[in-house]
Amino acid sequence: MRWLDKKWHKVVEKKLIEVEDEPYGEIIVHGGNDKSWSDIYYNDAKKKWMGQVTKVVFLLNNTKVGDCACYYASSLVTVDIPEGITTIGDRSFFGCSSLKDIKFPKSLTSIGSYSFAYCSSLEEVDLLLKNVMELGDHALEGCTSLREMKVPDSLQTFGRKVFYKCSKLVNSTIDVVDDKINGDDVTSEVVAFLRFIQ
């Protein structure tokens, strides 16, 4: 089994070099490194390539999805974030407009600012049975298809305007438990379905 792990690492390392040097758009291998949003946003070639990415592979023993890891990967449909990842960085999946399904690991504790902003095909985010303690500012802003959000009772920090422009959530069903969510964070534009586990 150890040999297979090493072999897999070699394959992944080769893919990583290909992705960095000659983008081909089918897969992106992510090792947890942060990227600058401006390096992608203001570079037409990088932005175009990111728009063709259809699959993400994560390196073993990684604990973070880096900032802007899949920024504007608009052809990405599903993401399976592996066990061991504790943090999803800022803008990690910003603008992934085709993203419909995300599988989160139990090890996840923090979701950064704008991490899933403008994932306009995302209909449900299920964090139940996870250990998420922090949802960053604008984490799900502009997720216009989002209908349901399930949040565990481990949540301690709820950022500003997490659900800004999430027009399909229903504000009358917001369930605020204890004082976990400050009323100021729930603006008239936030329409949300939250379920807290007691």
Side-chain angles (χ1 to χ4, degrees):
M1 194 68 172
R2 197 74 177 151
W3 179 80
L4 288 175
D5 284 350
K6 288 181 179 178
K7 184 178 179 182
W8 187 83
H9 267 295
K10 287 179 183 176
V11 171
V12 168
E13 285 165 8
K14 183 176 184 293
K15 291 279 188 191
L16 184 61
I17 291 167
E18 288 175 1
V19 167
E20 292 297 327
D21 295 340
E22 298 175 25
Y24 55 89
E26 293 178 358
I27 189 169
I28 184 170
V29 177
H30 190 260
N33 298 325
D34 295 336
K35 296 180 183 176
S36 167
W37 69 270
S38 58
D39 286 347
I40 299 168
Y41 187 79
Y42 293 114
N43 184 320
D44 289 341
K46 281 186 181 179
K47 195 171 179 182
K48 182 178 179 182
W49 173 68
M50 286 302 293
Q52 297 172 346
V53 169
T54 57
K55 185 176 181 183
V56 182
V57 173
F58 296 88
L59 293 173
L60 295 176
N61 303 319
N62 189 22
T63 60
K64 180 183 179 184
V65 178
D67 296 351
C68 301
C70 298
Y71 188 77
Y72 273 114
S74 57
S75 297
L76 191 61
V77 177
T78 62
V79 174
D80 189 352
I81 300 171
E83 201 59 47
I85 297 285
T86 59
T87 303
I88 296 175
D90 296 345
R91 294 182 171 90
S92 290
F93 296 93
F94 184 103
C96 294
S97 55
S98 299
L99 187 59
K100 290 184 176 181
D101 184 38
I102 310 164
K103 290 185 176 65
F104 297 98
K106 289 181 181 178
S107 56
L108 185 65
T109 59
S110 176
I111 297 176
S113 299
Y114 293 95
S115 51
F116 294 97
Y118 298 95
C119 293
S120 54
S121 296
L122 194 58
E123 295 182 1
E124 179 183 353
V125 173
D126 187 353
L127 297 173
L128 292 181
L129 307 179
K130 315 303 179 202
N131 293 308
V132 176
M133 294 185 285
E134 178 182 3
L135 263 175
D137 295 347
H138 303 268
L140 294 157
E141 175 179 317
C143 292
T144 53
S145 296
L146 189 65
R147 295 176 183 275
E148 186 172 7
M149 176 77 184
K150 297 177 184 177
V151 183
D153 62 358
S154 59
L155 187 66
Q156 296 174 9
T157 303
F158 191 89
R160 294 179 61 251
K161 298 187 177 182
V162 170
F163 301 111
Y164 183 64
K165 297 183 181 178
C166 294
S167 55
K168 292 199 177 169
L169 290 170
V170 181
N171 63 354
S172 62
T173 57
I174 294 175
D175 184 7
V176 180
V177 176
D178 298 327
D179 288 321
K180 290 184 180 177
I181 298 178
N182 184 318
D184 293 340
D185 294 335
V186 184
T187 67
S188 61
E189 311 219 5
V190 174
V191 272
F193 186 128
L194 299 178
R195 184 177 303 159
F196 289 84
I197 299 302
Q198 293 295 318

